[in-house]
Amino acid sequence: MLVTGGAGFIGTHLARMLLEAGHGVRVLDALLDAAHGASAPAPPTAGVEFVHGDVRDPATVEAALRGVDAVCHQAAMVGAGKDFGDAPDYVECNDLGSAVLLSAMARQRVRTLVLAGSMVVYGEGRYACARHGTVRPGPRQIEDLTAGRFEPACPRCASALTPELVSEDAPPDPRTVYAATKIAQEYLAACWARDSGGRVIALRYHNVYGPGMPCDTPYAGVASLFRSALARGEPPRVFEDGGQRRDFIHVQDIAAANLAALTGLDGLLPPGTLRAYNVGSGTPHTVGEMATALASSGGPQPTITGEYRLGDVRHITACSARLRAELGWLPQVSFAEGMREFADAPLRESTARMPAE
């Protein structure tokens, strides 16, 4: 079993779980400073074979794949980044890296792939209008956000909308560079599957959190940014009014979903196909609720800033019923339990620090 990005946040938990389940595990990781810090250690899990190299390098990937029968592809540049200037790096890391990996898998006849996807491919998500039923609002406008009107309106009648859960069959609507690269990864993997007779399960992760997240970096998730602030004795800075709905899911449940995909894939997918699965807890919470839960361990209470980022969506929560029904996966870590643990959990040092406020 090859885990790309296996020394990273999710990859470390996944490699350990695969090993405990009896799989032979090889990790390929470049140990980039942005995720690991300047003095990045080798993976801490005993019994894991480690290959230090970049998924964008064909020779390294060819060597890492020898003797492997399946790949969990976690290696990626994540998060919203700093600005559009990050676009070439996102495309190179995520899409070129995936293309190099898939090309090598085709040559070496490795036919099983579990791909780390993301719910960001859905964009603003699914909404219901009392008059027009299910609608998909367009991007939010600067003038509305500046005025504090954060909720999207019906694109047909401008009425208030009710956010709903998104299914895997919803059309993609990526609204950031990162989101565009994640759906491109799925398209590349689907092409590889058809051409090679391979099978792909794309796991569209929700907002993952837990021990070992990188700290103080613009490429981390919001949970890590809040924890980093609290570790500095500062209040978490919550954008908009804190009412944005997300589904926060513990990294151990994400690792378990990957294991379920690997063990259930054989009897589920015919050769040449890709199937996507949402991976969420099923219990949405607001960003403000998450910040308050982390601060409840004794840190300063969150600050609601009213600030915004134009590419952010208001609500995105997806239905994970398909994963539960077809692969038997169930999340084990509740929001309350996970946030209590994460409030005191160690973070991974990073050299890509956020600028001081």
Side-chain angles (χ1 to χ4, degrees):
M1 184 77 59
L2 176 66
V3 181
T4 70
F9 166 47
I10 295 174
T12 299
H13 290 270
L14 173 57
R16 186 179 300 115
M17 186 173 290
L18 289 170
L19 197 67
E20 291 171 352
H23 295 278
V25 181
R26 180 181 299 155
V27 159
L28 171 63
D29 202 297
L31 300 179
L32 298 178
D33 287 357
H36 298 272
S39 301
T45 305
V48 171
E49 180 185 352
F50 178 57
V51 178
H52 184 196
D54 199 308
V55 74
R56 295 167 288 185
D57 178 61
T60 298
V61 174
E62 290 278 358
L65 282 171
R66 292 192 183 110
V68 164
D69 59 2
V71 175
C72 286
H73 184 28
Q74 308 293 318
M77 185 173 177
V78 302
K82 293 177 286 189
D83 52 41
F84 200 82
D86 286 330
D89 291 335
Y90 273 102
V91 172
E92 184 180 34
C93 288
N94 297 355
D95 298 337
L96 175 61
S98 296
V100 170
L101 173 66
L102 292 166
S103 177
M105 289 176 66
R107 287 191 295 275
Q108 297 208 26
R109 308 184 70 82
V110 180
R111 296 291 183 259
T112 298
L113 175 66
V114 177
L115 174 65
S118 175
M119 54 80 196
V120 296
V121 301
Y122 297 121
E124 189 61 61
R126 176 187 171 103
Y127 290 81
C129 172
R131 291 179 58 192
H132 298 107
T134 300
V135 296
R136 293 177 66 84
R140 296 183 294 171
Q141 301 302 307
I142 292 178
E143 54 269 26
D144 290 330
L145 295 170
T146 302
R149 296 188 293 269
F150 301 121
E151 295 290 343
C154 177
R156 298 176 62 182
C157 68
S159 297
L161 298 174
T162 302
E164 296 184 335
L165 299 180
V166 185
S167 74
E168 292 89 349
D169 297 325
D173 184 18
R175 299 193 178 185
T176 64
V177 171
Y178 171 62
T181 65
K182 294 308 288 183
I183 194 62
Q185 284 183 314
E186 291 192 23
Y187 291 152
L188 286 167
C191 291
W192 164 81
R194 286 192 294 270
D195 185 74
S196 68
R199 293 171 297 178
V200 184
I201 284 185
L203 298 174
R204 293 173 177 170
Y205 302 161
H206 272 267
N207 293 70
V208 188
Y209 72 95
M213 290 190 84
C215 70
D216 290 331
T217 164
Y219 305 102
V222 66
S224 176
L225 299 181
F226 290 170
R227 263 286 283 112
S228 298
L230 288 165
R232 297 190 301 267
E234 301 170 2
R237 292 175 54 81
V238 180
F239 279 15
E240 301 184 19
D241 60 1
Q244 310 95 302
R245 284 162 51 97
R246 298 293 189 268
D247 188 333
F248 300 100
I249 180 153
H250 196 275
V251 64
Q252 284 295 108
D253 286 329
I254 290 290
N258 277 268
L259 181 60
L262 284 166
T263 55
L265 183 147
D266 283 346
L268 183 66
L269 290 186
T273 59
L274 176 149
R275 189 155 176 81
Y277 293 87
N278 296 325
V279 190
S281 72
T283 307
H285 291 272
T286 68
V287 172
E289 288 172 341
M290 188 263 285
T292 299
L294 290 177
S296 65
S297 64
Q301 289 301 299
T303 298
I304 307 299
T305 68
E307 299 172 16
Y308 63 87
R309 294 184 301 190
L310 193 58
D312 284 351
V313 298
R314 179 62 174 174
H315 305 297
I316 176 64
T317 54
C319 176
S320 301
R322 175 185 290 182
L323 183 61
R324 300 180 187 215
E326 296 185 3
L327 292 175
W329 170 88
L330 288 172
Q332 300 298 312
V333 183
S334 70
F335 178 81
E337 175 189 356
M339 289 298 160
R340 279 195 300 270
E341 174 207 41
F342 186 52
D344 298 313
L347 298 178
R348 185 188 302 255
E349 290 295 328
S350 167
T351 57
R353 294 190 177 276
M354 295 289 287
E357 293 294 339

